[in-house]
Amino acid sequence: MFQTSHIEISKSAYKKNIRYLRQVVGDYPKISSVIKGNAYGHGVENIVPLAEENKLRHFSVFSAQEALQVCKVKSPKSQVMIMGLLDDDEIEWAVENDVEYFVFDPGRLEKTFDVAARLKKRARIHIEAETGFHRTGFDYDYLPVLLEKLKENREHFHFEGLCTHYAGAESIANYVRVREQISQYRKFYRYFYRHGILPEYKHTACSAAVLTYPTTIMDMVRIGIAQYGFWPSPETEMFRFKKDPTINTPLKRLITWKSRVMVVKEVEAGQFVGYGSTYLANKKMKIAVIPVGYSNGFSRSLSNMGRVLIRGKRVPVIGTVTMNTMTVNVTDIAGIEKGDEVVIIGKQKRMDISVSSFSEMSNQLNYQTLTRLPADIPRYVVK
Ligand SMILES: *Cc1c(COP(=O)(O)O)cnc(C)c1O
């Protein structure tokens, strides 16, 4: 096998997560599976079929480039929605292929109408409202102009959605700001309602909003991190735990990252291990070299800090993590040999290394750790 490590993706964990999230949002809302960032590092080609098996038929991505990737693997019945970058010269492709997209500036709107008129095909647009996130979205003051433009071009678009995005629903510290955004969104909706132009879907909620602000669950929800089995923050988990204490850790991590022992050897007391002199053996010890280094997504800042699992035991990284390897202290593991399974993230026997403990050690968010897992590590969907 030509690989130094691989990632397993659990089908049954995914199913449990979707079942739980369906229970939280109820039967009615459409769930859009957010698969930007290569499906949060899980691989678009792995997650799209899994989501479809679990009856999800809507996917959200950041760019046209990502949307194209999804179009190659999705079933013809599924929809794709671009929430961010769509260049003028990609709009034609989007309209032709029924790809939905956010519109948040006049330029994109004009271009959309030009293209739709030329193709004689309706664009499927989601109007994004600026409610206080201050990234993208139309300002409330612009609505009269926007409404005129929409009315003039009625036959060139389908008003798929009215949407917004919350600025930090995962933290109670942002409570006031999020509440303000919710009421601002309602103001936008009322404006359209009064003028008789209605979106098919009202949608605002990401994972954290779904889990902690029930009023944000509307016609559709856009769920990213939670479907992969992670809480947006410890606060979110605590909130849900207080709400339904009987459900024991309802979200399950999908990934397990594994490698193997490359070589085992002994080091005499008084010798330094690895580059430089960051680790000194203070007694005779046994070490194992693992063929995973910082070029494979195992951060150099985990030098002398990280932990991996071998034979059901947690063992420490010693010395500096190199480009392609790390060294661990296996003095206490009897019988360890070349080829033994190494778990970098995930469970082995009764021990577990979570993404958050892994990322706390290297000081990153789950979101960041996941999307930084190198795309060239092979991923396999397992039971
Ligand atoms: C990423 C993203 C989401 C999903 O966020 P999660 O916290 O992963 O659920 C929803 N909406 C927009 C606009 C996003 O960019």
Side-chain angles (χ1 to χ4, degrees), residues 6 8 256-262 290 308-313 315 328 330 333 336-349 351:
H6 73 274
E8 294 175 1
T256 306
W257 183 13
K258 291 180 176 174
S259 182
R260 286 156 302 139
V261 170
M262 181 166 96
I290 320 297
V308 300
L309 305 177
I310 302 175
R311 296 203 174 197
K313 288 208 166 82
V315 296
V328 295
V330 291
I333 303 188
I336 179 162
E337 52 187 39
K338 175 182 158 182
D340 278 0
E341 181 189 87
V342 176
V343 168
I344 303 163
I345 292 175
K347 216 173 151 143
Q348 193 187 50
K349 301 220 169 122
M351 297 299 271

Side-chain angles (χ1 to χ4, degrees), residues 348-360:
Q348 193 187 50
K349 301 220 169 122
R350 289 155 74 181
M351 297 299 271
D352 188 279
I353 293 181
S354 68
V355 170
S356 61
S357 75
F358 173 85
S359 52
E360 263 151 34

Side-chain angles (χ1 to χ4, degrees), residues 137-382:
F138 286 108
D139 287 331
Y140 187 78
D141 293 345
Y142 188 71
L143 284 186
V145 182
L146 181 61
L147 190 80
E148 269 322 295
K149 290 182 196 284
L150 294 176
K151 280 186 164 165
E152 279 167 23
N153 290 279
R154 263 178 201 281
E155 70 283 14
H156 295 322
F157 73 98
H158 183 71
F159 193 0
E160 205 73 41
L162 177 66
C163 54
T164 196
H165 188 48
Y166 299 110
E170 72 286 348
S171 170
I172 192 72
N174 303 320
Y175 181 79
V176 174
R177 190 168 169 202
V178 171
R179 297 262 26 133
E180 183 58 34
Q181 283 193 273
I182 296 170
S183 77
Q184 194 63 20
Y185 177 83
R186 292 201 178 115
K187 230 171 102 184
F188 271 83
Y189 180 73
R190 281 197 303 271
Y191 187 90
F192 284 102
Y193 186 84
R194 273 204 309 278
H195 293 89
I197 293 202
L198 290 180
E200 182 137 350
Y201 293 91
K202 300 198 291 293
H203 57 101
T204 67
C206 58
S207 301
V210 159
L211 292 163
T212 52
Y213 295 86
T215 55
T216 65
I217 301 171
M218 301 172 186
D219 306 314
M220 180 162 88
V221 294
R222 306 182 304 260
I223 296 185
I225 197 85
Q227 74 180 309
Y228 307 106
F230 299 94
W231 297 95
S233 65
E235 280 172 70
T236 321
E237 179 172 13
M238 204 37 72
F239 180 90
R240 289 310 305 192
F241 177 72
K242 284 188 192 150
K243 225 173 148 79
D244 27 44
T246 54
I247 308 182
N248 185 25
T249 53
L251 293 176
K252 310 277 182 213
R253 179 185 57 221
L254 309 188
I255 60 163
T256 306
W257 183 13
K258 291 180 176 174
S259 182
R260 286 156 302 139
V261 170
M262 181 166 96
V263 64
V264 179
K265 57 189 279 172
E266 289 187 338
V267 175
E268 295 297 330
Q271 299 294 331
F272 288 103
V273 176
Y275 283 127
S277 44
T278 67
Y279 190 88
L280 177 66
N282 59 5
K283 55 176 190 196
K284 184 173 176 173
M285 59 192 289
K286 207 163 43 169
I287 63 173
V289 181
I290 320 297
V292 172
Y294 58 77
S295 73
N296 312 106
F298 196 88
S299 171
R300 194 166 176 280
S301 61
L302 292 169
S303 297
N304 284 309
M305 293 270 288
R307 300 276 188 276
V308 300
L309 305 177
I310 302 175
R311 296 203 174 197
K313 288 208 166 82
R314 200 186 298 271
V315 296
V317 172
I318 59 175
T320 47
V321 172
T322 74
M323 187 181 291
N324 299 102
T325 65
M326 68 174 105
T327 301
V328 295
N329 180 357
V330 291
T331 309
D332 298 331
I333 303 188
I336 179 162
E337 52 187 39
K338 175 182 158 182
D340 278 0
E341 181 189 87
V342 176
V343 168
I344 303 163
I345 292 175
K347 216 173 151 143
Q348 193 187 50
K349 301 220 169 122
R350 289 155 74 181
M351 297 299 271
D352 188 279
I353 293 181
S354 68
V355 170
S356 61
S357 75
F358 173 85
S359 52
E360 263 151 34
M361 281 189 275
S362 57
N363 236 331
Q364 299 177 25
L365 286 174
N366 280 342
Y367 291 84
Q368 192 175 181
T369 311
L370 290 167
T371 50
R372 279 189 179 176
L373 292 172
D376 62 0
I377 302 175
R379 280 125 165 104
Y380 305 104
V381 176
V382 299

